[in-house]
Amino acid sequence: MIKSIPKNLWSKYRHEISNEIHRRPYLELQSPLRISMINILTKNQQKNYYYLEELCKYLSIPSPSENCLSFNHLHEEKFKLKWESHREFCTFQFIVNDEIDSKELFKKSSLNEVPDLWINSLDNIVNSVNLEVTNNISNEIDIYNSFDNNYIVGSYVNDQRARIFSDFRLDGNGYHRILMVNDNLTKHQLGRAVQRVLDIESYRSMVMIGLFKSKNINNTIDELTYNLLQVNNEFENNKKINLEEYYSKLNYISNKAYKLNNENKFRFQATNSYFPIINERLKELKLSTINSIQPYDTYLNSRLSPAKRTSETTEKRLNETLEQIDRTANLIQTNVELEVKNGNNLLLESMNKKTDIQIKLQKAVEGLSTVVLTYYTVGLFNYGISGISSIIDLGCDPKLISSISIIPISLYYLYNIKNKIKF
């Protein structure tokens, strides 16, 4: 008997951790079959669920819980519905088992079973795929004819147990066409192989969105770089600097650049994350070369690798532009600080000159005040001594006594005036 773990010991994430690995299960598929897939760019999971809920209403089936990320349903034995929700897009797969004549490839679509009202309510469809899986087509002419004799690429799948072909072009109905020939795949193997091919198509379209956005971003970066160069040239050549004007121009460029960065940061991150997923799916398909046909993965990488490099280069250019803007702002700020410092130095020099003048004036006032006060004090003292000498014989000339008193009187006034006069 196995000892059970009490539920009160479980973490609140226990079920989520266990179920996460089965969140997007592979379906068991049996060829021949037709699959139509629609990729919708929604940018949030709430919108993903909205489209699923609307479809469930049209089909009169109960919708799953809002927090689910995948949903499978067999509708009236007509078709299988598979829905998956991703961070910024969702996918709908409609799977129909049907006999497929090698002469009539891509003549039908499993979307014929889906209500037109729901299809017409969709928007932002970034990719739509018709994938047909048939058994044992040996006539290459039928394969080329199914793609309107366009240039096709193809590879063996899963150690030559199947073959996959595509021209990566839109047909007259707006679908990308993919043909898989099942030579010896089991139901499980076919389900995994089909899901990997459709994953590649989903992420491929999302990577290409990053490419086209990068082209528009590069044009804006060119404009910002040109405007920034003009501001730098004006600042270097114009000696009479109008700081408000420069700050206004620089602030406009900075706001536009940071807004561009914030709006597209997720796009760069998503593109960088989708590309490794595509490579993983290609590796899981175990592709090998079919003679005289360009390999499926080689063709894809030759188109997607430049898209990834363009996205990376654009992100790097945008970051460098932001750094240049910051350096320009710091340069202008440094020049302003130097000007303020030079102005302060001139002000200090002017204050020093004023201080020297004040000191000289103070010394002059001290000297004049001492002379004037000594003169009047000695005069008064002289009058007093003269009066006293007329009454009492002092034994010496009063004028001599007055002359001698000049020294202590002048020293007294000089000392007091120096300590009391303040400017």
Side-chain angles (χ1 to χ4, degrees):
M1 183 175 180
I2 299 176
K3 185 176 182 179
S4 63
I5 300 175
K7 290 188 177 180
N8 61 342
L9 301 179
W10 288 12
S11 164
K12 64 179 180 179
Y13 303 111
R14 182 68 181 88
H15 285 290
E16 286 78 359
I17 293 171
S18 178
N19 294 333
E20 176 63 23
I21 198 168
H22 303 290
R23 184 159 59 92
R24 293 191 174 96
Y26 296 112
L27 298 178
E28 291 186 19
L29 300 178
Q30 183 172 0
S31 57
L33 58 87
R34 305 179 194 272
I35 302 177
S36 293
M37 182 184 71
I38 297 177
N39 289 62
I40 307 173
L41 182 64
T42 56
K43 299 184 179 179
N44 62 76
Q45 294 182 359
Q46 184 178 0
K47 196 68 177 292
N48 292 350
Y49 180 77
Y50 166 78
Y51 286 124
L52 174 62
E53 188 177 36
E54 290 297 305
L55 178 59
C56 290
K57 289 179 182 178
Y58 281 114
L59 299 178
S60 299
I61 61 175
S63 57
S65 61
E66 189 171 356
N67 60 352
C68 74
L69 298 177
S70 64
F71 175 69
N72 296 321
H73 173 73
L74 177 60
H75 184 64
E76 298 178 352
E77 302 297 331
K78 293 181 179 179
F79 65 88
K80 292 179 182 178
L81 166 65
K82 183 176 183 180
W83 169 83
E84 291 186 352
S85 175
H86 299 265
R87 171 63 180 81
E88 60 172 339
F89 69 96
C90 65
T91 64
F92 287 89
Q93 297 178 22
F94 304 95
I95 306 167
V96 175
N97 283 99
D98 191 11
E99 292 296 329
I100 301 176
D101 187 349
S102 62
K103 305 292 184 181
E104 298 293 326
L105 294 171
F106 302 113
K107 299 300 182 182
K108 295 180 181 180
S109 171
S110 55
L111 276 180
N112 295 341
E113 306 294 335
V114 181
D116 291 339
L117 288 175
W118 179 79
I119 296 176
N120 294 333
S121 69
L122 303 177
D123 57 0
N124 281 331
I125 297 177
V126 293
N127 197 6
S128 52
V129 179
N130 269 342
L131 169 62
E132 297 199 352
V133 183
T134 185
N135 296 323
N136 300 321
I137 295 182
S138 58
N139 190 348
E140 292 185 0
I141 296 178
D142 292 340
I143 296 175
Y144 280 99
N145 288 340
S146 66
F147 292 100
D148 301 326
N149 293 314
N150 293 328
Y151 177 82
I152 64 172
V153 298
S155 293
Y156 286 113
V157 176
N158 202 358
D159 300 325
Q160 300 189 9
R161 294 184 179 182
R163 289 168 285 166
I164 183 173
F165 303 93
S166 179
D167 61 352
F168 290 101
R169 294 179 181 273
L170 291 175
D171 64 11
N173 296 312
Y175 296 96
H176 280 101
R177 294 170 293 187
I178 300 175
L179 174 63
M180 181 177 289
V181 181
N182 181 14
D183 296 321
N184 191 22
L185 290 176
T186 65
K187 294 180 180 180
H188 290 286
Q189 291 172 334
L190 180 60
R192 292 196 298 270
V194 165
Q195 186 58 48
R196 287 161 182 164
V197 170
L198 294 177
D199 283 348
I200 291 170
E201 278 298 303
S202 298
Y203 291 115
R204 176 183 71 84
S205 59
M206 301 308 296
V207 168
M208 298 310 289
I209 289 177
L211 172 65
F212 295 114
K213 278 188 172 291
S214 294
K215 292 179 179 179
N216 295 330
I217 295 170
N218 275 316
N219 293 333
T220 306
I221 292 175
D222 292 339
E223 179 185 349
L224 292 173
T225 304
Y226 176 76
N227 292 337
L228 184 62
L229 180 62
Q230 281 189 322
V231 170
N232 285 329
N233 291 336
E234 290 177 7
F235 185 79
E236 292 175 0
N237 299 327
N238 190 2
K239 296 182 179 179
K240 295 182 179 180
I241 299 175
N242 185 346
L243 293 178
E244 291 186 3
E245 180 181 351
Y246 283 104
Y247 273 121
S248 177
K249 292 181 179 179
L250 189 60
N251 188 54
Y252 170 78
I253 297 172
S254 177
N255 289 341
K256 194 170 183 179
Y258 276 99
K259 181 180 178 182
L260 187 68
N261 182 59
N262 292 334
E263 289 176 346
N264 295 280
K265 183 179 294 185
F266 174 78
R267 181 79 271 133
F268 294 131
Q269 294 172 348
T271 300
N272 292 336
S273 63
Y274 292 150
F275 192 79
I277 295 175
I278 294 175
N279 284 334
E280 288 176 5
R281 298 295 185 270
L282 288 171
K283 185 177 180 180
E284 291 166 356
L285 284 173
K286 299 179 182 179
L287 301 176
S288 56
T289 303
I290 299 175
N291 291 335
S292 73
I293 298 179
Q294 185 178 10
Y296 189 87
D297 53 343
T298 301
Y299 183 87
L300 265 178
N301 283 322
S302 68
R303 269 62 181 175
L304 295 180
S305 294
K308 179 176 180 292
R309 288 194 296 268
T310 300
S311 178
E312 291 174 342
T313 303
T314 303
E315 183 181 13
K316 184 179 179 181
R317 282 193 67 200
L318 184 54
N319 290 332
E320 290 176 349
T321 301
L322 293 175
E323 292 176 0
Q324 290 175 359
I325 292 171
D326 291 338
R327 285 197 297 268
T328 301
N330 291 334
L331 176 62
I332 294 179
Q333 182 65 31
T334 302
N335 279 274
V336 171
E337 291 175 355
L338 288 174
E339 287 190 0
V340 171
K341 185 177 180 180
N342 292 335
N344 290 337
N345 290 336
L346 293 174
L347 180 61
L348 290 173
E349 290 178 3
S350 175
M351 293 176 64
N352 289 336
K353 289 180 181 179
K354 289 181 180 180
T355 303
D356 290 339
I357 295 173
Q358 287 178 344
I359 292 172
K360 291 178 181 179
L361 287 173
Q362 183 175 343
K363 290 180 179 179
V365 169
E366 290 174 0
L368 291 173
S369 299
T370 302
V371 171
V372 171
L373 292 173
T374 301
Y375 174 78
Y376 284 107
T377 303
V378 169
L380 292 173
F381 183 76
N382 183 48
Y383 287 130
I385 291 297
S386 298
I388 293 172
S389 64
S390 62
I391 300 173
I392 303 172
D393 185 11
L394 297 176
C396 64
D397 188 359
K399 292 183 178 180
L400 178 61
I401 295 174
S402 299
S403 299
I404 293 172
S405 68
I406 292 174
I407 295 174
I409 291 172
S410 61
L411 290 175
Y412 171 79
Y413 282 121
L414 182 63
Y415 174 78
N416 282 280
I417 290 173
K418 186 173 184 180
N419 289 324
K420 291 181 179 180
I421 294 179
K422 296 180 180 180
F423 293 88

